[in-house]
Amino acid sequence: GIGSTTGDMYYNALTNDSHFFRINGVTEVEIDADGIDIRNGWLELEERTAPSGLSNHARIYAKDNGSGKTQLVVIFGSGAEQVIATEP
């Protein structure tokens, strides 16, 4: 079921179930033991500042390079950023 505690929403699922998020009856996102399947074919990211506080993780995000171009970046637990691509 879906519940709320102090304003946060949580979803508790049974083991080995797939969970579908549908719009107008069409599955857009599926989450299961294999990961996340986005059915529309893209992941849209807004520019943001570098995330902090990760350990043993990597995060992919978009940021402005300071010259008005969007960059796709990965940041690692060490805080090191790696630019994957820059808007032409």
Side-chain angles (χ1 to χ4, degrees):
I2 297 176
S4 178
T5 304
T6 63
D8 293 335
M9 295 279 301
Y10 62 89
Y11 180 77
N12 189 16
L14 300 175
T15 305
N16 297 324
D17 284 345
S18 289
H19 307 280
F20 303 95
F21 295 86
R22 296 184 171 115
I23 298 173
N24 293 327
V26 177
T27 298
E28 300 292 341
V29 177
E30 176 186 0
I31 301 173
D32 60 23
D34 294 333
I36 299 174
D37 181 7
I38 300 171
R39 303 282 173 94
N40 61 14
W42 70 80
L43 175 63
E44 186 172 341
L45 303 172
E46 293 183 4
E47 290 180 354
R48 57 155 297 144
T49 59
S52 62
L54 42 134
S55 176
N56 300 320
H57 289 83
R59 291 184 180 157
I60 296 175
Y61 63 99
K63 74 173 193 174
D64 187 293
N65 72 351
S67 298
K69 301 284 185 172
T70 301
Q71 292 181 315
L72 182 62
V73 178
V74 61
I75 189 168
F76 298 95
S78 65
E81 284 185 337
Q82 178 84 34
V83 175
I84 298 168
T86 301
E87 176 184 1

Coordinates of all heavy atoms in Angstrom, one line a residue:
G1 N 0.8 -1.2 0.0 CA 0.0 0.0 0.0 C 0.8 1.2 0.0 O 2.1 1.2 0.1
I2 N 0.2 2.4 -0.1 CA 0.9 3.7 -0.1 C 0.5 4.4 1.2 O -0.7 4.4 1.6 CB 0.5 4.5 -1.3 CG1 0.9 3.8 -2.6 CG2 1.1 5.9 -1.2 CD1 0.5 4.5 -3.9
G3 N 1.5 4.9 1.9 CA 1.2 5.6 3.1 C 2.0 6.9 3.3 O 2.8 7.2 2.4
S4 N 1.8 7.5 4.3 CA 2.5 8.8 4.6 C 2.9 8.9 6.0 O 2.1 8.6 6.9 CB 1.6 10.0 4.2 OG 2.2 11.2 4.5
T5 N 4.1 9.3 6.3 CA 4.6 9.6 7.6 C 5.3 10.9 7.6 O 6.2 11.2 6.9 CB 5.6 8.5 8.0 OG1 5.0 7.2 7.9 CG2 6.1 8.7 9.5
T6 N 4.8 11.8 8.4 CA 5.4 13.2 8.5 C 5.6 13.9 7.2 O 6.6 14.5 6.9 CB 6.7 13.3 9.3 OG1 7.7 12.5 8.6 CG2 6.5 12.7 10.7
G7 N 4.6 13.7 6.3 CA 4.6 14.3 5.0 C 5.3 13.5 3.9 O 5.1 13.8 2.7
D8 N 6.2 12.6 4.3 CA 6.9 11.8 3.2 C 6.0 10.7 2.8 O 5.2 10.1 3.5 CB 8.2 11.1 3.8 CG 9.2 12.2 4.2 OD1 9.2 13.3 3.6 OD2 10.0 11.9 5.0
M9 N 6.0 10.4 1.5 CA 5.3 9.3 0.9 C 6.2 8.1 0.8 O 7.4 8.2 0.4 CB 4.7 9.6 -0.5 CG 3.7 10.8 -0.5 SD 2.1 10.2 -0.1 CE 1.7 9.0 -1.3
Y10 N 5.7 6.9 1.1 CA 6.5 5.7 0.9 C 5.6 4.6 0.2 O 4.4 4.7 0.4 CB 7.1 5.2 2.2 CG 6.1 4.8 3.2 CD1 5.6 3.6 3.3 CD2 5.6 5.8 4.1 CE1 4.7 3.2 4.3 CE2 4.7 5.4 5.1 CZ 4.2 4.1 5.2 OH 3.3 3.8 6.1
Y11 N 6.3 3.7 -0.4 CA 5.6 2.6 -1.1 C 6.2 1.3 -0.7 O 7.4 1.2 -1.0 CB 5.7 2.9 -2.6 CG 5.0 1.8 -3.4 CD1 3.6 1.8 -3.6 CD2 5.7 0.8 -4.1 CE1 3.0 0.9 -4.3 CE2 5.1 -0.1 -4.9 CZ 3.7 -0.1 -5.0 OH 3.1 -1.0 -5.7
N12 N 5.5 0.5 0.0 CA 6.1 -0.8 0.4 C 5.6 -1.9 -0.5 O 4.4 -2.1 -0.6 CB 5.6 -1.0 1.9 CG 6.3 -2.2 2.5 OD1 7.4 -2.7 2.0 ND2 5.8 -2.7 3.6
A13 N 6.5 -2.6 -1.2 CA 6.1 -3.6 -2.1 C 6.6 -5.0 -1.7 O 7.6 -5.1 -0.9 CB 6.8 -3.3 -3.5
L14 N 5.9 -6.0 -2.1 CA 6.2 -7.4 -1.9 C 7.4 -7.8 -2.7 O 7.6 -7.3 -3.8 CB 5.1 -8.3 -2.1 CG 3.8 -8.0 -1.3 CD1 2.7 -8.9 -1.8 CD2 4.1 -8.2 0.2
T15 N 8.2 -8.7 -2.2 CA 9.4 -9.3 -2.9 C 9.0 -9.8 -4.3 O 8.0 -10.4 -4.4 CB 10.1 -10.3 -2.1 OG1 10.3 -9.8 -0.8 CG2 11.4 -10.8 -2.7
N16 N 9.9 -9.6 -5.3 CA 9.7 -10.1 -6.7 C 8.6 -9.6 -7.4 O 8.2 -10.1 -8.5 CB 9.7 -11.6 -6.7 CG 11.0 -12.2 -6.1 OD1 12.1 -11.7 -6.4 ND2 10.9 -13.3 -5.4
D17 N 7.9 -8.5 -7.0 CA 6.8 -7.9 -7.7 C 7.4 -6.8 -8.7 O 8.4 -6.2 -8.4 CB 5.8 -7.2 -6.8 CG 4.9 -8.2 -6.1 OD1 4.9 -9.3 -6.5 OD2 4.3 -7.8 -5.1
S18 N 6.7 -6.6 -9.8 CA 7.0 -5.4 -10.6 C 6.0 -4.4 -10.3 O 4.9 -4.6 -9.9 CB 6.9 -5.8 -12.1 OG 7.9 -6.7 -12.5
H19 N 6.4 -3.1 -10.4 CA 5.6 -2.0 -10.0 C 5.5 -1.1 -11.2 O 6.6 -0.7 -11.7 CB 6.1 -1.3 -8.8 CG 6.2 -2.3 -7.7 ND1 5.2 -2.7 -6.9 CD2 7.3 -3.0 -7.2 CE1 5.6 -3.6 -6.1 NE2 6.9 -3.8 -6.2
F20 N 4.3 -0.7 -11.6 CA 4.1 0.0 -12.9 C 3.5 1.4 -12.5 O 2.6 1.5 -11.7 CB 3.2 -0.7 -13.8 CG 3.7 -2.1 -14.2 CD1 3.3 -3.2 -13.5 CD2 4.6 -2.3 -15.2 CE1 3.7 -4.5 -13.8 CE2 5.1 -3.5 -15.5 CZ 4.6 -4.6 -14.8
F21 N 4.0 2.4 -13.2 CA 3.4 3.7 -13.1 C 2.8 4.0 -14.5 O 3.6 4.0 -15.5 CB 4.5 4.8 -12.7 CG 5.0 4.5 -11.3 CD1 6.1 3.7 -11.1 CD2 4.4 5.2 -10.2 CE1 6.5 3.4 -9.8 CE2 4.9 4.9 -9.0 CZ 6.0 4.1 -8.7
R22 N 1.5 4.2 -14.5 CA 0.8 4.3 -15.8 C 0.2 5.7 -15.9 O -0.3 6.3 -14.9 CB -0.2 3.2 -15.9 CG 0.4 1.8 -16.0 CD -0.7 0.8 -16.2 NE -0.1 -0.5 -16.4 CZ -0.2 -1.5 -15.7 NH1 -0.9 -1.5 -14.6 NH2 0.4 -2.7 -16.0
I23 N 0.1 6.2 -17.2 CA -0.6 7.4 -17.5 C -1.6 7.0 -18.6 O -1.2 6.5 -19.6 CB 0.3 8.5 -18.0 CG1 1.3 8.9 -16.8 CG2 -0.5 9.7 -18.4 CD1 2.4 9.8 -17.2
N24 N -2.9 7.2 -18.3 CA -4.0 6.9 -19.3 C -3.9 5.4 -19.6 O -4.1 5.0 -20.8 CB -3.9 7.7 -20.5 CG -4.3 9.2 -20.2 OD1 -5.1 9.4 -19.3 ND2 -3.7 10.1 -21.0
G25 N -3.5 4.5 -18.7 CA -3.5 3.1 -18.9 C -2.2 2.6 -19.6 O -2.0 1.4 -19.8
V26 N -1.3 3.5 -20.0 CA -0.1 3.1 -20.6 C 1.1 3.1 -19.6 O 1.3 4.1 -19.0 CB 0.2 4.0 -21.8 CG1 1.6 3.7 -22.5 CG2 -0.9 4.0 -22.8
T27 N 1.8 2.0 -19.5 CA 2.9 1.9 -18.6 C 4.0 2.8 -19.1 O 4.5 2.7 -20.2 CB 3.5 0.5 -18.5 OG1 2.4 -0.4 -18.0 CG2 4.7 0.4 -17.6
E28 N 4.4 3.8 -18.2 CA 5.5 4.7 -18.5 C 6.8 4.3 -17.8 O 7.9 4.5 -18.3 CB 5.1 6.1 -18.1 CG 3.9 6.6 -18.9 CD 4.1 6.9 -20.4 OE1 5.3 7.0 -20.8 OE2 3.1 6.9 -21.1
V29 N 6.7 3.8 -16.6 CA 7.8 3.4 -15.8 C 7.5 2.1 -15.1 O 6.4 1.9 -14.5 CB 8.2 4.5 -14.7 CG1 9.4 4.0 -13.8 CG2 8.5 5.8 -15.4
E30 N 8.5 1.2 -15.1 CA 8.4 -0.1 -14.4 C 9.6 -0.2 -13.5 O 10.7 0.0 -13.9 CB 8.4 -1.3 -15.3 CG 8.4 -2.6 -14.6 CD 8.5 -3.8 -15.6 OE1 8.6 -3.6 -16.8 OE2 8.5 -4.9 -15.1
I31 N 9.3 -0.5 -12.2 CA 10.4 -0.8 -11.2 C 10.3 -2.2 -10.7 O 9.2 -2.6 -10.3 CB 10.3 0.2 -10.1 CG1 10.4 1.7 -10.6 CG2 11.4 -0.1 -9.0 CD1 10.2 2.7 -9.5
D32 N 11.4 -2.9 -10.8 CA 11.4 -4.3 -10.3 C 12.8 -4.6 -9.9 O 13.7 -3.8 -9.8 CB 10.9 -5.3 -11.3 CG 11.6 -5.3 -12.6 OD1 12.8 -4.9 -12.7 OD2 11.1 -5.7 -13.6
A33 N 13.1 -5.9 -9.6 CA 14.4 -6.3 -9.1 C 15.5 -6.0 -10.1 O 16.7 -5.9 -9.7 CB 14.4 -7.8 -8.7
D34 N 15.2 -5.9 -11.4 CA 16.2 -5.6 -12.4 C 16.5 -4.2 -12.5 O 17.5 -3.8 -13.1 CB 15.7 -6.1 -13.8 CG 15.6 -7.6 -13.9 OD1 16.3 -8.3 -13.1 OD2 14.8 -8.1 -14.7
G35 N 15.7 -3.3 -11.9 CA 16.0 -1.9 -12.0 C 14.8 -1.1 -12.4 O 13.6 -1.5 -12.3
I36 N 15.1 0.0 -13.1 CA 14.0 1.0 -13.6 C 14.0 0.9 -15.1 O 15.0 1.1 -15.7 CB 14.3 2.4 -13.1 CG1 14.3 2.5 -11.6 CG2 13.2 3.4 -13.7 CD1 14.6 3.8 -11.0
D37 N 12.8 0.7 -15.7 CA 12.6 0.7 -17.1 C 11.7 1.9 -17.5 O 10.6 2.0 -17.1 CB 11.9 -0.6 -17.5 CG 11.7 -0.7 -19.0 OD1 12.1 0.2 -19.8 OD2 11.0 -1.7 -19.4
I38 N 12.3 2.8 -18.2 CA 11.6 4.0 -18.6 C 11.1 3.8 -20.1 O 11.9 3.6 -21.0 CB 12.4 5.3 -18.5 CG1 12.9 5.5 -17.1 CG2 11.7 6.5 -19.1 CD1 13.9 6.6 -16.9
R39 N 9.8 3.7 -20.2 CA 9.3 3.3 -21.5 C 9.2 4.3 -22.6 O 9.1 4.0 -23.8 CB 7.8 2.7 -21.3 CG 7.8 1.6 -20.3 CD 8.3 0.3 -20.9 NE 8.4 -0.7 -19.9 CZ 7.4 -1.6 -19.6 NH1 6.3 -1.6 -20.3 NH2 7.6 -2.6 -18.7
N40 N 9.3 5.6 -22.2 CA 9.1 6.6 -23.3 C 10.5 6.9 -24.0 O 10.5 7.6 -25.0 CB 8.6 7.9 -22.7 CG 9.4 8.5 -21.6 OD1 10.6 8.2 -21.5 ND2 8.9 9.5 -20.9
G41 N 11.5 6.2 -23.5 CA 12.8 6.3 -24.3 C 13.8 7.4 -23.9 O 14.8 7.5 -24.5
W42 N 13.4 8.2 -22.9 CA 14.4 9.2 -22.5 C 14.2 9.5 -21.0 O 13.2 9.2 -20.4 CB 14.2 10.5 -23.3 CG 13.0 11.3 -23.0 CD1 12.7 12.1 -22.0 CD2 11.8 11.3 -23.8 NE1 11.5 12.7 -22.0 CE2 10.9 12.2 -23.1 CE3 11.4 10.7 -25.0 CZ2 9.6 12.4 -23.6 CZ3 10.1 10.9 -25.4 CH2 9.3 11.8 -24.8
L43 N 15.3 10.1 -20.5 CA 15.3 10.6 -19.1 C 15.6 12.1 -19.2 O 16.6 12.4 -19.8 CB 16.4 9.8 -18.3 CG 16.6 10.3 -16.9 CD1 15.3 10.1 -16.0 CD2 17.8 9.6 -16.3
E44 N 14.7 12.9 -18.7 CA 14.9 14.3 -18.8 C 15.5 14.8 -17.4 O 14.9 14.6 -16.4 CB 13.6 15.0 -19.1 CG 13.7 16.5 -19.3 CD 12.4 17.1 -19.8 OE1 11.5 16.3 -20.3 OE2 12.2 18.3 -19.7
L45 N 16.6 15.6 -17.5 CA 17.2 16.1 -16.3 C 17.3 17.7 -16.4 O 17.6 18.2 -17.5 CB 18.7 15.6 -16.3 CG 18.9 14.1 -16.2 CD1 20.3 13.8 -16.3 CD2 18.3 13.5 -15.0
E46 N 17.0 18.3 -15.4 CA 17.1 19.8 -15.3 C 18.5 20.1 -14.7 O 19.0 19.3 -13.9 CB 16.1 20.4 -14.4 CG 14.7 20.3 -14.9 CD 13.6 21.0 -14.0 OE1 14.0 21.6 -13.0 OE2 12.4 20.9 -14.4
E47 N 19.1 21.2 -15.1 CA 20.4 21.6 -14.6 C 20.2 21.9 -13.1 O 19.2 22.3 -12.6 CB 20.8 22.9 -15.2 CG 21.2 22.8 -16.7 CD 21.7 24.1 -17.3 OE1 21.6 25.1 -16.6 OE2 22.2 24.0 -18.4
R48 N 21.3 21.5 -12.3 CA 21.3 21.7 -10.9 C 22.8 21.8 -10.5 O 23.7 21.6 -11.3 CB 20.7 20.5 -10.2 CG 21.3 19.1 -10.6 CD 21.2 18.1 -9.5 NE 21.8 18.5 -8.3 CZ 21.4 18.2 -7.1 NH1 20.3 17.4 -6.9 NH2 22.0 18.5 -6.0
T49 N 23.0 22.2 -9.2 CA 24.3 22.2 -8.7 C 24.7 20.8 -8.3 O 23.9 19.9 -8.2 CB 24.4 23.1 -7.4 OG1 23.5 22.6 -6.4 CG2 24.0 24.5 -7.7
A50 N 26.0 20.6 -8.1 CA 26.5 19.3 -7.8 C 25.9 18.7 -6.5 O 25.9 19.4 -5.5 CB 28.0 19.3 -7.6
P51 N 25.4 17.5 -6.5 CA 24.9 16.9 -5.3 C 26.0 16.6 -4.3 O 27.2 16.4 -4.8 CB 24.2 15.6 -5.8 CG 24.8 15.3 -7.1 CD 25.3 16.6 -7.7
S52 N 25.7 16.5 -3.1 CA 26.8 16.2 -2.1 C 26.3 15.1 -1.2 O 25.2 14.7 -1.2 CB 27.1 17.4 -1.3 OG 26.0 17.9 -0.6
G53 N 27.2 14.6 -0.4 CA 26.9 13.6 0.7 C 26.7 12.2 0.2 O 26.0 11.5 0.8
L54 N 27.4 11.9 -0.9 CA 27.3 10.5 -1.3 C 28.5 9.7 -0.9 O 29.6 10.2 -0.8 CB 27.0 10.3 -2.8 CG 27.7 11.1 -3.8 CD1 28.2 10.3 -5.0 CD2 26.6 12.1 -4.4
S55 N 28.3 8.4 -0.7 CA 29.4 7.5 -0.4 C 29.2 6.2 -1.1 O 28.1 5.7 -1.0 CB 29.4 7.3 1.2 OG 30.4 6.4 1.5
N56 N 30.2 5.7 -1.8 CA 30.0 4.5 -2.5 C 28.9 4.5 -3.6 O 28.2 3.5 -3.8 CB 29.8 3.3 -1.6 CG 31.0 3.1 -0.6 OD1 32.1 3.3 -1.0 ND2 30.7 2.9 0.6
H57 N 28.7 5.7 -4.2 CA 27.7 5.9 -5.2 C 28.2 6.7 -6.3 O 29.3 7.4 -6.2 CB 26.5 6.6 -4.6 CG 25.7 5.8 -3.7 ND1 26.0 5.7 -2.3 CD2 24.5 5.1 -3.8 CE1 25.1 4.9 -1.7 NE2 24.2 4.6 -2.6
A58 N 27.5 6.8 -7.4 CA 27.7 7.7 -8.5 C 26.4 8.3 -8.8 O 25.4 7.6 -8.8 CB 28.4 7.0 -9.7
R59 N 26.3 9.6 -9.1 CA 25.1 10.3 -9.6 C 25.3 10.9 -10.9 O 26.4 11.6 -11.1 CB 24.7 11.3 -8.5 CG 24.2 10.6 -7.2 CD 23.7 11.7 -6.3 NE 23.3 11.0 -5.0 CZ 23.2 11.6 -3.9 NH1 23.5 12.9 -3.7 NH2 22.8 10.9 -2.8
I60 N 24.4 10.8 -11.8 CA 24.4 11.5 -13.1 C 23.4 12.6 -13.0 O 22.3 12.5 -12.6 CB 24.0 10.5 -14.2 CG1 25.1 9.4 -14.3 CG2 23.9 11.2 -15.5 CD1 24.8 8.3 -15.3
Y61 N 23.9 13.8 -13.5 CA 23.0 15.0 -13.4 C 23.5 16.0 -14.5 O 24.5 15.8 -15.2 CB 23.1 15.7 -12.1 CG 24.4 16.2 -11.6 CD1 24.7 17.5 -11.8 CD2 25.4 15.3 -11.1 CE1 26.0 18.0 -11.4 CE2 26.6 15.8 -10.8 CZ 26.9 17.1 -10.9 OH 28.2 17.6 -10.6
A62 N 22.7 17.0 -14.7 CA 23.0 18.0 -15.7 C 23.3 19.3 -15.0 O 22.8 19.6 -13.9 CB 21.8 18.3 -16.6
K63 N 24.3 20.1 -15.5 CA 24.7 21.3 -14.9 C 25.1 22.3 -16.0 O 25.4 21.9 -17.1 CB 25.8 21.2 -13.9 CG 27.2 20.9 -14.5 CD 28.3 20.9 -13.5 CE 29.6 21.0 -14.1 NZ 30.7 21.2 -13.1
D64 N 25.0 23.6 -15.7 CA 25.5 24.7 -16.5 C 27.0 24.7 -16.4 O 27.6 24.7 -15.3 CB 24.9 26.0 -16.1 CG 25.2 27.1 -17.1 OD1 26.4 27.5 -17.2 OD2 24.3 27.6 -17.8
N65 N 27.7 24.8 -17.6 CA 29.2 24.9 -17.5 C 29.7 26.2 -17.2 O 30.9 26.4 -17.2 CB 29.8 24.3 -18.8 CG 29.6 25.3 -20.0 OD1 28.9 26.3 -19.9 ND2 30.2 24.9 -21.1
G66 N 28.9 27.2 -16.9 CA 29.3 28.6 -16.6 C 29.3 29.5 -17.9 O 29.5 30.7 -17.8
S67 N 29.1 28.9 -19.0 CA 29.1 29.6 -20.3 C 27.7 29.4 -21.0 O 27.6 29.7 -22.2 CB 30.2 29.2 -21.3 OG 31.4 29.4 -20.7
G68 N 26.7 29.0 -20.2 CA 25.4 28.8 -20.8 C 25.2 27.5 -21.5 O 24.1 27.3 -22.1
K69 N 26.1 26.6 -21.5 CA 26.0 25.3 -22.1 C 25.7 24.3 -21.0 O 26.2 24.3 -19.9 CB 27.2 24.9 -22.8 CG 27.7 25.8 -23.9 CD 26.8 25.7 -25.1 CE 27.3 26.6 -26.3 NZ 26.6 26.3 -27.5
T70 N 24.8 23.3 -21.3 CA 24.5 22.2 -20.4 C 25.5 21.1 -20.5 O 25.8 20.7 -21.7 CB 23.0 21.7 -20.7 OG1 22.1 22.8 -20.5 CG2 22.7 20.6 -19.7
Q71 N 25.9 20.6 -19.4 CA 26.8 19.4 -19.4 C 26.1 18.3 -18.7 O 25.4 18.5 -17.7 CB 28.1 19.8 -18.6 CG 29.0 20.8 -19.3 CD 30.2 21.0 -18.5 OE1 30.2 21.2 -17.3 NE2 31.4 21.1 -19.2
L72 N 26.4 17.1 -19.2 CA 26.0 15.8 -18.6 C 27.2 15.4 -17.8 O 28.2 15.2 -18.3 CB 25.5 14.8 -19.6 CG 25.0 13.5 -19.0 CD1 23.8 13.7 -18.2 CD2 24.8 12.5 -20.2
V73 N 27.0 15.2 -16.5 CA 28.1 14.9 -15.5 C 27.8 13.8 -14.6 O 26.6 13.5 -14.3 CB 28.3 16.2 -14.6 CG1 29.4 16.0 -13.6 CG2 28.5 17.4 -15.5
V74 N 28.8 13.0 -14.3 CA 28.7 12.0 -13.2 C 29.6 12.5 -12.1 O 30.7 13.0 -12.3 CB 29.1 10.6 -13.7 CG1 30.5 10.5 -14.2 CG2 28.8 9.6 -12.6
I75 N 29.1 12.3 -10.9 CA 29.9 12.6 -9.7 C 30.0 11.4 -8.8 O 29.1 10.6 -8.7 CB 29.3 13.8 -8.9 CG1 30.3 14.3 -7.8 CG2 28.0 13.5 -8.3 CD1 30.0 15.6 -7.1
F76 N 31.2 11.1 -8.3 CA 31.5 9.9 -7.6 C 31.6 10.2 -6.1 O 31.6 11.4 -5.7 CB 32.8 9.3 -8.0 CG 32.8 8.9 -9.5 CD1 33.2 9.7 -10.5 CD2 32.3 7.7 -9.8 CE1 33.2 9.4 -11.8 CE2 32.2 7.3 -11.2 CZ 32.6 8.1 -12.2
G77 N 31.6 9.2 -5.3 CA 31.6 9.4 -3.8 C 32.7 10.2 -3.3 O 32.7 10.9 -2.3
S78 N 33.8 10.2 -4.1 CA 35.0 11.0 -3.7 C 34.8 12.5 -3.9 O 35.6 13.3 -3.4 CB 36.2 10.6 -4.5 OG 36.0 10.9 -5.9
G79 N 33.7 12.8 -4.6 CA 33.4 14.2 -5.0 C 34.0 14.6 -6.3 O 33.8 15.7 -6.8
A80 N 34.7 13.7 -7.0 CA 35.3 13.9 -8.3 C 34.2 13.9 -9.4 O 33.3 13.0 -9.4 CB 36.3 12.9 -8.7
E81 N 34.1 15.0 -10.2 CA 33.2 15.1 -11.3 C 33.8 14.6 -12.6 O 35.0 14.9 -12.8 CB 32.7 16.5 -11.5 CG 31.7 17.0 -10.5 CD 31.2 18.4 -10.8 OE1 31.9 19.1 -11.6 OE2 30.1 18.7 -10.4
Q82 N 33.1 14.0 -13.4 CA 33.5 13.6 -14.8 C 32.5 14.1 -15.7 O 31.3 13.7 -15.7 CB 33.7 12.1 -14.9 CG 34.1 11.6 -16.2 CD 35.6 11.6 -16.4 OE1 36.3 11.4 -15.5 NE2 36.0 11.9 -17.6
V83 N 32.9 15.0 -16.7 CA 31.9 15.5 -17.7 C 31.8 14.4 -18.8 O 32.8 13.9 -19.3 CB 32.4 16.8 -18.3 CG1 31.5 17.2 -19.4 CG2 32.5 17.9 -17.2
I84 N 30.6 13.9 -19.0 CA 30.3 12.9 -20.0 C 30.1 13.6 -21.4 O 30.7 13.1 -22.4 CB 29.0 12.1 -19.6 CG1 29.2 11.4 -18.3 CG2 28.6 11.1 -20.7 CD1 28.0 10.8 -17.7
A85 N 29.4 14.7 -21.4 CA 29.2 15.4 -22.7 C 28.8 16.9 -22.4 O 28.3 17.1 -21.3 CB 28.1 14.8 -23.5
T86 N 29.2 17.7 -23.3 CA 28.8 19.2 -23.2 C 28.0 19.5 -24.4 O 28.3 19.1 -25.6 CB 30.1 20.0 -23.2 OG1 30.9 19.7 -22.0 CG2 29.7 21.5 -23.0
E87 N 26.9 20.3 -24.2 CA 26.1 20.8 -25.3 C 26.9 21.5 -26.3 O 27.8 22.3 -26.0 CB 25.1 21.8 -24.7 CG 24.2 22.4 -25.7 CD 23.2 23.5 -25.0 OE1 23.3 23.6 -23.8 OE2 22.4 24.0 -25.7
P88 N 26.7 21.2 -27.6 CA 27.5 21.8 -28.7 C 27.2 23.3 -28.8 O 26.2 23.7 -28.4 CB 27.2 21.0 -29.9 CG 26.1 20.1 -29.6 CD 25.8 20.1 -28.1

